[in-house]
Amino acid sequence: MYELKTKETDASVIEFIEAVDSPKKREDAYRLLDIFTETAGYEAKMWGPSIIGFGSYHYVYNTGHEGDAPLVGFSPRKAKTSLYFAPGDSEREALLAKFGKHTSGKACVYINKVDDIDIEVLQQLIKQSIAFLRKTYPEN
């Protein structure tokens, strides 16, 4: 049976942020913590060793693979900060066009620093991602 690596843990979000090497990345992490907490309306929790997640949902894929994941989140990584939004949300691209300097993958959006992005668009991305996941994976 496949074991999920990214599970909610009891680790301290503040201790994790305090351990971030770069003072600028640490400052950005605190800014993101405030923005995500206020916008998502969920308490920050550690998911695995390095993802700060907000809320959670249970997914089941057509393959039968299932698990839990944060609704949204971020991780202040060494190279770039990763922002986690809903994979498969077709409305995300329109918001990302107005987001500012970033690159993106399937579920992640990567930024160098918070000053490079539009905070209002970030708030819209957070709300849109949560709404999309709540609709796609309604709670039972």
Side-chain angles (χ1 to χ4, degrees):
M1 181 76 178
Y2 174 76
E3 180 71 20
L4 286 175
K5 289 187 189 93
T6 309
K7 294 181 185 172
E8 188 177 317
T9 72
D10 291 329
S12 166
V13 170
I14 300 302
E15 285 177 20
F16 171 71
I17 293 174
E18 283 298 317
V20 171
D21 284 343
S22 158
K24 180 62 181 143
K25 281 238 187 281
R26 203 166 38 246
E27 180 186 319
D28 275 357
Y30 279 118
R31 283 181 69 193
L32 290 170
L33 179 63
D34 288 344
I35 294 164
F36 273 80
T37 300
E38 186 178 308
T39 307
Y42 295 96
E43 182 185 347
K45 301 275 187 176
M46 290 303 302
W47 285 76
S50 61
I51 295 173
I52 300 169
F54 301 81
S56 67
Y57 69 100
H58 186 78
Y59 61 85
V60 181
Y61 294 145
N62 293 338
T63 61
H65 174 80
E66 64 181 291
D68 296 300
L71 290 165
V72 290
F74 70 93
S75 182
R77 306 221 185 252
K78 215 177 244 341
K80 294 182 181 237
T81 296
S82 302
L83 308 175
Y84 298 95
F85 302 114
D89 182 2
S90 59
E91 294 182 35
R92 185 172 86 168
E93 289 307 312
L95 288 171
L96 287 176
K98 305 180 285 187
F99 189 49
K101 188 177 173 185
H102 73 281
T103 55
S104 58
K106 195 172 188 174
C108 290
V109 174
Y110 306 98
I111 63 170
N112 288 319
K113 56 188 186 285
V114 174
D115 290 341
D116 288 343
I117 60 169
D118 184 318
I119 300 303
E120 287 184 15
V121 176
L122 173 58
Q123 291 169 320
Q124 291 174 332
L125 282 162
I126 293 167
K127 290 175 187 171
Q128 172 58 33
S129 187
I130 291 170
F132 175 81
L133 288 168
R134 287 284 180 232
K135 184 175 167 196
T136 306
Y137 301 100
E139 293 181 72
N140 295 334

